[in-house]
Amino acid sequence: MEEAFGSALLISLGVALTSSVLLALGVTAFFTRRVQRSTAAVAHSASRIAGGNYQSQVPSPGLGAEFDQLATTINDLAQRLGDVETTRRRLLADLAHEMRTPLGSIEAHLEAIEDGIRSLDDQTLEVLHGNTARLQRLAEDITAVARAEEGGLDLRPVPTDTTTLVESATAAAHNAYDAKQVALDVDTRQAGSVMADPDRMAQVLGNLLDNALQHTPPGGRVRVSVRKPDPDWVEITVTDNGEGIDAHHLGHVFERFYRADPARSRVRGGSGIGLTISKALVEAHGGGLSASSPGPGSGAEFTIRLPSTGRSR
Ligand SMILES: Nc1ncnc2c1ncn2[C@@H]1O[C@H](COP(=O)(O)OP(=O)(O)OP(=O)(O)O)[C@@H](O)[C@H]1O
Ligand SMILES: [Mg+2]
């Protein structure tokens, strides 16, 4: 009996040991293969992203929260890289497009001088200077807009009184308005205090007042007013009764180098970048800049929205 018990114990121990070793091996092999397959898929997508295919998405490995987080982070990274790449391409294309006209004009004039068709008189020099000045301004604008869009601006927001902001901006614009005989009204009855960098906001208001003046004929009227639609926000609106903006153009005026009437703006020398910079500046303050117009001939309205000081959110 003792012998039978001994051998039965031995057999059952042997069977139990063998089956648990086999089971452990099986489970390990299963999980190793699963982790391998999932990480291989992640590595494959990551290397496609590294190769410049930013649309490639890393699939969720299904191995728990940490791995899912890793996949999400890689996808976000790819998205950001894709955005930067798109901006870079657009910037280069815009720049090339904007440089072509002044460079073409300089080239044509130089050739005309070489061929004896033109002499280097005051008129030719004026054209050449005008075009080099335009290229110079373009270089400055492009630096400014790149800095504004990349958020590399050195902003110093301080509690600022909107009445002071509006009054100093309109005071700076007064001479130009008087010269063109466009009336400039100010309504700061609802003024409030905002968190803003006064120099940057002066730049934004200057751009809006300049645009309003450019697009309003003599005898017209521009109005700057401050509103406090709710306790958290203050709005500064620049309204003119000039040319207005076609609905078709309205959605594009904040785009870099966009001009509703390129031929006319080029004569004046506008780059179509003032509103792009202004929008980036206002957004860097945590606010927004929007445009509206009832249509051509009915004027336009630009609204700066800024967080008021001590807002609850
Ligand atoms: N108040 C306005 N009334 C009508 N159109 C406007 C007004 N403000 C802007 N626009 C349109 O929006 C376009 C873009 O304005 P933006 O200030 O960006 O460029 P710009 O004035 O042409 O040149 P820049 O400001 O770079 O010298 C203008 O060319 C114009 O067509
Ligand atoms: Mg402008």
Side-chain angles (χ1 to χ4, degrees), residues 198-250:
D199 291 339
R200 300 301 192 180
M201 287 319 298
Q203 193 182 343
V204 174
L205 279 170
N207 279 340
L208 296 184
L209 286 172
D210 177 49
N211 281 352
L213 180 62
Q214 297 291 351
H215 299 279
T216 306
R221 185 166 285 275
V222 173
R223 182 184 189 79
V224 187
S225 48
V226 184
R227 273 186 359 109
K228 210 162 171 358
D230 62 70
D232 288 342
W233 297 94
V234 178
E235 288 178 356
I236 305 175
T237 320
V238 178
T239 317
D240 65 66
N241 66 351
E243 288 164 24
I245 307 172
D246 194 279
H248 162 71
H249 293 298
L250 201 57

